[in-house]
Amino acid sequence: MAAIVKYGIIGVGMMGREHLMNLHHLRDEGVAVVAVADPHVPSQQLSLELAHSFSWPLKVFSGHKELLESELCDVLVVSTPNMTHYRILMDIINYPKPHHVLVEKPLCTTVSHCKEVVEAARKRPDILVQVGLEYRYMPPVAKLIEIVKEGSLGQVRMVAIREHRFPFLVKVNNWNRFNINSGGTLVEKCCHFFDLMRLFVGANPVRVMASGAIDVNHKDEIYDGKVPDIIDNAYVIVEFDNGSRGMLDLCMFAEGSKNEQEISVVGDVGKGEAYVPESIVRFGTRQAGRDGVQTLKAEDPRIKYDGLHHGSSYVEHLNFLTAIRTKGEKGPAVDLQDGLISVAMGVAAQLSIEYGRFVTIEEVMDKVKI
């Protein structure tokens, strides 16, 4: 049996505890969570109770620096509020003892911070950093990616992603109610979808046009005298360097939906669709027409725990563990470049709404004065 891989979780709010649950279900793969860090005492308590229910002894720290200095861990999961990722990642990457890192999306809230993290990590070939864009692993999405990759749809020309869901959940100190903390809805929430678009079209984004607003949610909420400024709906169009286009239709006051995500990918040969949480994939070709459309139930037999994201976090951890054990021969499945570009697309979309025009990825990446 391979040596036990020891994990520490930095930030044990809802998502941190979700990682704890996933890692518990991976215990047969030789993993253990040995430490957590969080300044918020109620979150510490909840994670301790959870770990005790698994008979996992936990060391609890109030900050990430103490956890780092304990040198108890091989791998760190960063699931703290978005605006803290940059500082924590820089501290981990610059720490003498190497720790592999799985960081929740978005990588950072700004492009310049993402770029600094990418640069710092380049100097540490002994560290693997994976970004938590786990929607790739939801069974119906993974199946659709497979269909696209094997060329069944031909050259992909259009990707349309609809997310119609519930409003943002309440977080510790309501940090996610403000753009300054989250990076904005199109960074915080939608980096997942921009990542998928890029994956489906097999190309990089060139420019982005968006229209969005805060129309229904959070308007009657006030925190420390401030009203939330995060948008709750938007349309975003993305143009890619191979001529393909992506479109996002986001609505966060659409609880009356059968599916939360509906993804449509159209190539010059055929069309594929994925539905979450129905876990259904449909695909057909132009030649076979409507009668030839096939419907599949998407399942992944590896998944032992569905959790909050339909088993995708479980697969994410499984993949990262493989990358760690093979000493990065394959590299992390979702690397820092993927994290950077998904944030750049979200930032471009947020700016497009603000300025009422197309925003190029180049200007966002170069921080040219807009």
Side-chain angles (χ1 to χ4, degrees), residues 38 91 122 136 177 181 189 214 259 284:
D38 198 310
D91 288 345
R122 246 185 224 133
R136 295 173 174 218
R177 294 303 195 251
N181 297 332
K189 181 79 219 69
I214 175 165
N259 284 299

Side-chain angles (χ1 to χ4, degrees), residues 27-219:
R27 64 197 179 282
D28 295 346
E29 302 286 336
V31 307
V33 177
V34 298
V36 299
D38 198 310
H40 188 65
V41 175
S43 295
Q44 289 179 10
Q45 274 314 115
L46 288 166
S47 66
L48 261 177
E49 285 163 23
L50 197 55
H52 285 165
S53 74
F54 307 148
S55 308
W56 266 357
L58 268 194
K59 281 282 280 180
V60 179
F61 300 93
S62 59
H64 70 280
K65 285 188 176 168
E66 294 90 330
L67 192 156
L68 267 178
E69 284 157 10
S70 74
E71 300 200 350
L72 289 168
C73 307
D74 311 305
V75 185
L76 297 174
V77 177
V78 178
S79 43
T80 55
N82 301 357
M83 69 285 187
T84 65
H85 289 186
Y86 165 69
R87 189 66 269 151
I88 292 170
L89 287 170
M90 293 302 274
D91 288 345
I92 296 169
I93 292 165
N94 292 322
Y95 192 78
K97 174 186 167 8
H99 295 81
H100 301 304
V101 190
L102 172 65
V103 56
E104 260 309 324
K105 59 81 206 158
L107 174 56
C108 299
T109 56
T110 68
V111 172
S112 56
H113 278 168
C114 288
K115 284 166 82 170
E116 278 185 60
V117 169
V118 171
E119 211 39 59
R122 246 185 224 133
K123 297 173 188 152
R124 290 299 300 263
D126 52 343
I127 291 176
L128 293 178
V129 185
Q130 177 160 314
V131 182
L133 293 164
E134 82 285 343
Y135 278 37
R136 295 173 174 218
Y137 308 126
M138 288 183 180
V141 180
K143 183 68 191 165
L144 187 53
I145 290 168
E146 194 185 301
I147 288 167
V148 168
K149 285 205 166 138
E150 59 196 25
S152 308
L153 310 181
Q155 170 72 49
V156 172
R157 306 311 309 171
M158 301 177 82
V159 178
I161 299 179
R162 168 179 288 160
E163 177 166 70
H164 280 192
R165 55 164 278 169
F166 47 89
F168 278 122
L169 299 171
V170 173
K171 301 278 183 170
V172 174
N173 298 329
N174 304 294
W175 67 264
N176 64 339
R177 294 303 195 251
F178 298 95
N179 290 329
I180 190 75
N181 297 332
S182 70
T185 301
L186 297 175
V187 171
E188 147 68 15
K189 181 79 219 69
C190 304
C191 57
H192 277 306
F193 306 122
F194 298 136
D195 177 61
L196 291 180
M197 283 180 193
R198 209 176 135 239
L199 209 55
F200 285 127
V201 304
N204 278 318
V206 179
R207 60 179 198 153
V208 177
M209 178 77 192
S211 169
I214 175 165
D215 288 325
V216 175
N217 299 337
H218 317 305
K219 295 176 93 161

